[in-house]
Amino acid sequence: MIGIVDYGMGNLFSVSKALERLDVEFFISDDPAELEKAEGIILPGVGSFRDAMILLERKELDVFLKKHVANGRYLLGICLGMQLLFEESEENGPAKGLSLIPGKVTRFSGIDSKNNAYKVPHMGWNKLTFNHSSPLLKGLEEDYVYFVHSYFVVTNETEFVTASAKYDVDVPAIVTKENVFGMQFHPEKSSAIGMSLLKNYLSLVKGR
């Protein structure tokens, strides 16, 4: 069973529709006691890092998510949900995150190394480059996925960066640390590869 965390800033409709297409049982909740019934959790998110953390903390969902991971269960963060897995963000900040993976969230500068301006947010299709093996990548080849974000993760712990995309800088696109996963892009909007990534996550949860 998959639990989708509803803390007021998630793209619940598109994620739930993707799970319906994959014919998986799921529920949406903001109640930690109810979410404890889920073997796998999806943490979606759109908007401000600081606001998201305030909302998570208000209902003690931050405590629940850390406990869920500590108990060996699976967690997948999508878009802002992925960024929340890290230690802090400079967005309306600094603001502390869940600290499940080391790293900081920072804004695209909008100016490249040759002093030319580029568009922020990073929006549209961009190609993944696979860096390390991960159960999320099982049976997949590098392909294009759909991004919408103005902030990205910077981490010195590159072993956790499963896949990246180039947007002036190398953008961590998929992260993996044991039972914690993140996707900076929207898998539910990323055609066949996005659905396959979600299916691989669901297979992990099912096989636990």
Side-chain angles (χ1 to χ4, degrees), residues 122-154:
H122 173 207
M123 182 166 61
W125 297 87
N126 203 343
K127 190 174 184 180
L128 295 176
T129 297
F130 294 168
N131 303 319
H132 303 291
S133 62
S134 168
L136 287 186
L137 303 183
K138 183 179 179 181
L140 300 182
E141 297 182 356
E142 296 175 349
D143 205 342
Y144 287 82
V145 293
Y146 190 79
F147 291 86
V148 183
H149 62 121
S150 298
Y151 290 77
F152 69 101
V153 169
V154 175

Side-chain angles (χ1 to χ4, degrees), residues 38 40-41 79 85-86 103 114 127 173 177 185 190:
I41 291 291
C79 197
L85 303 176
F86 288 82
K114 297 181 180 179
K127 190 174 184 180
K177 185 184 178 188
F185 53 92
S190 295

